[in-house]
Amino acid sequence: MQRPLLKKAIVLGGSITGLLTATVLATFFEEVLLLEKDHLPETTAPRKSVPQDQHAHTILQKTLLFIEAQYPGICSEITATGGNIIDTSSDVCWLFQDGWRQRHHSGLQALLTTRPNLDQHLYRRMRAKYPHVQCRQCCKTTGYLYHPASHQITGVHILNETGQPETLSADLVVDAMGRFSRSPEWLQQAGLGSPETAEVKMQLAYSSRIYQQPDHTPPNWKSMALYPSFPHTWKSGIIADIGNRQWLVSLCGYFGDCAPAADDGFLNFARDLRSPDIYQLLKDSQPLTLVKIHKVSKNIRHYYEKFRQLPDGFIVLGDAHCAFNPIFGQGICIATANVMALHQQLQRLYAQKQPSLRGFSAPFQKAIAAQADLPWFLTNTIDLSYKQAEGKRPLGHTLLYRFLRKAIAAGSCSTRLNQIFLKVLHLEASRKDLFNPLIAVTMLRHELLSMFTPAAHKALIRPVNHPQEVVTS
Ligand SMILES: Cc1cc2nc3c(=O)[nH]c(=O)nc-3n(C[C@H](O)[C@H](O)[C@H](O)COP(=O)(O)OP(=O)(O)OC[C@H]3O[C@@H](n4cnc5c(N)ncnc54)[C@H](O)[C@@H]3O)c2cc1C
């Protein structure tokens, strides 16, 4: 790698997006400063400002490949302290909408671990590989330094480690402050206005706790997910094998329906899921932690790519750009895709004779907006199918939802269609792939069968295999 030419970047937020971003910037900038208002993930202690870190997380393949390429051996290190690399189909029992999904070898991997374990390893490896990345914790960003003549963000205001105000300058400021980022407000304060924002309110509640797995033979899966039947029911549950013979269990409800923290209430919620499997496992297992509850009130997206007043020297990534229902576990995958786009664009910049960040921000925001489009569409189409969800329903939403529902259902009956759906979730396929002719034909077959021979249709949408079975051909 050539000598870094750009001078200084500041990354705001020391969670997953911030750590991945600093990793990329470290090879392009002489100085990188990571600012975190909470503690940095030096240990596996829960971090108050990342409340979701106590809940089940599936880390999809894109992120695994990226971090392994940056820090060879990191995935083995993570699993050695607690975790499993799984195949996202053959190792997962997934009851979804119209039945159990096919279990087959998909070749699409994921990591099951706790968030603190992931973040801790990433932080440690970043510090070891890039000593010039300076990290400051307990430093809260409070606003931006804007230079009107150059229409550029030139730094940040912070309250430092001792609570004193400080101003820091930079050539590039990166917002990785998560879903509660106050960038829109700070841009407004700088006299720039703020980007258009879209919201879908669905009041999701997660209740999670860790269990010791019982001594008997372990099941032949690593993750079990019992999803609701949209839009009729809204309780769901996930068990993730996080290594060390432990299960991280998350029970979720919409619209204020929250699994209680009390032992009985938690188990009762599990019993009310669409299938008794999770309840049966939990009732004979030993809880190791108390129940932690986290509520996510809405999906939120800021359209920085359409924001005409977007200043130079400033970009927004990860949840700070677009944060939504984690139903498909895509948040970190999108953050990774954002960071990969940043890497690509900086490489392109370096190919120029006089690399300059002038005019960098707007095309970058456009590139990452496209990455968020499909996951945003998927989760919102499903969330808005509930009449209680608040948000703008696009024209033809009901039709779209029906189509999506059928496309997803088609994947319960066919390995090939299931693979397409999985690729969409992993951001390895597009909306066009999801609505391809094969799916349309399968859907049509379903429609005709349901009209003329309802019994045959019912048999078709039933799980073609028992959830414990894995399809081998
Ligand atoms: C219940 C739940 C389950 C989830 N499950 C999955 C899953 O299975 N798979 C998946 O991929 N994704 C999942 N997600 C989404 C995932 O957690 C997020 O996409 C991811 O954490 C986003 O990372 P981030 O770094 O952008 O934001 P965050 O992780 O929210 O971090 C933001 C950071 O910025 C810091 N910060 C905020 N304000 C300031 C400030 N003023 N100054 C300095 N620092 C600041 C915070 O302290 C924090 O460290 C889940 C989310 C939830 C809520």
Side-chain angles (χ1 to χ4, degrees), residues 44-48 50-56 116 204-211 248-253 258-263 266 287-296:
T44 52
R47 296 194 306 129
K48 227 166 76 191
V50 188
Q52 72 269 30
D53 75 0
Q54 298 301 293
H55 302 270
L204 188 65
Y206 262 65
S207 307
S208 303
R209 86 191 302 186
I210 294 178
Y211 282 82
L248 174 50
V249 180
S250 290
L251 302 180
C252 325
C258 173
D263 290 355
F266 193 77
L288 297 176
T289 60
L290 294 173
V291 174
K292 293 273 164 49
I293 295 180
H294 175 57
K295 297 185 177 173
V296 179

Side-chain angles (χ1 to χ4, degrees), residues 107-160:
L108 293 163
Q109 294 191 318
L111 166 69
L112 302 179
T113 188
T114 62
R115 266 302 295 278
N117 190 38
L118 168 70
D119 293 10
Q120 170 204 236
H121 282 283
L122 208 49
Y123 178 68
R124 192 178 54 74
R125 291 293 295 266
M126 187 199 72
R127 301 243 49 190
K129 185 170 173 185
Y130 300 115
H132 68 293
V133 174
Q134 201 199 337
C135 298
R136 290 176 66 177
Q137 54 190 354
C138 306
C139 284
K140 186 175 177 180
T141 309
T142 53
Y144 295 134
L145 215 64
Y146 172 63
H147 188 252
S150 58
H151 184 47
Q152 195 181 351
I153 296 292
T154 54
V156 294
H157 299 291
I158 65 167
L159 287 177
N160 69 16

